[in-house]
Amino acid sequence: MQLAETSGALALGPLIVGLVVVALLIGAFWRGDILKSREPAPPRPEEQPHLPPEGAVRETRENREPEEVPQDGRRRLPHEFGNLGTRPSESKERPRWGKGSSGSFGGGGLGAH
């Protein structure tokens, strides 16, 4: 007789845990809905960005080459270089990788053969 009473109590425990989990999930969705309602509305079409009057900004293509490192005979440490600039290259030919080269070490290519 006592066995039947304990098995009923054991069946009630998982049911209560399940109800608590469902209540927490419903509460989380309810809280998320409240937080979402506080967010600003998406911009209207007239608030969207527009092209400037002179039209779209065009891309320019040019080859760049680095500025030369000063050659004063003094050894330089990396922190002394700072941001070395670049200048437009006089060559209009685009640099190409060697045929069969992946372009980088370990890049997965076949390599130069």
Side-chain angles (χ1 to χ4, degrees):
M1 183 129 359
Q2 292 178 354
L3 184 62
E5 291 174 13
T6 57
S7 66
L10 289 177
L12 191 59
L15 179 66
I16 292 173
V17 169
L19 289 174
V20 168
V21 168
V22 168
L24 287 173
L25 288 172
I26 291 172
F29 278 105
W30 177 69
R31 180 165 163 74
D33 192 38
I34 289 174
L35 291 176
K36 185 154 178 77
S37 68
R38 292 181 187 169
E39 292 179 359
R44 295 186 306 265
E46 61 269 7
E47 296 173 342
Q48 297 289 335
H50 298 286
L51 284 175
E54 59 271 3
V57 177
R58 299 289 176 216
E59 181 178 301
T60 59
R61 288 188 178 211
E62 63 182 1
N63 294 332
R64 310 265 319 159
E65 55 188 32
E67 293 285 345
E68 295 296 323
V69 176
Q71 300 291 330
D72 57 3
R74 186 171 81 80
R75 178 179 173 179
R76 298 186 185 275
L77 297 175
H79 71 275
E80 295 176 315
F81 285 110
N83 291 330
L84 291 177
T86 60
R87 63 178 185 272
S89 174
E90 295 184 17
S91 169
K92 299 298 178 195
E93 186 176 323
R94 291 178 53 196
R96 301 285 182 183
W97 297 112
K99 182 176 172 99
S101 171
S102 67
S104 66
F105 178 75
L110 297 174
H113 289 270

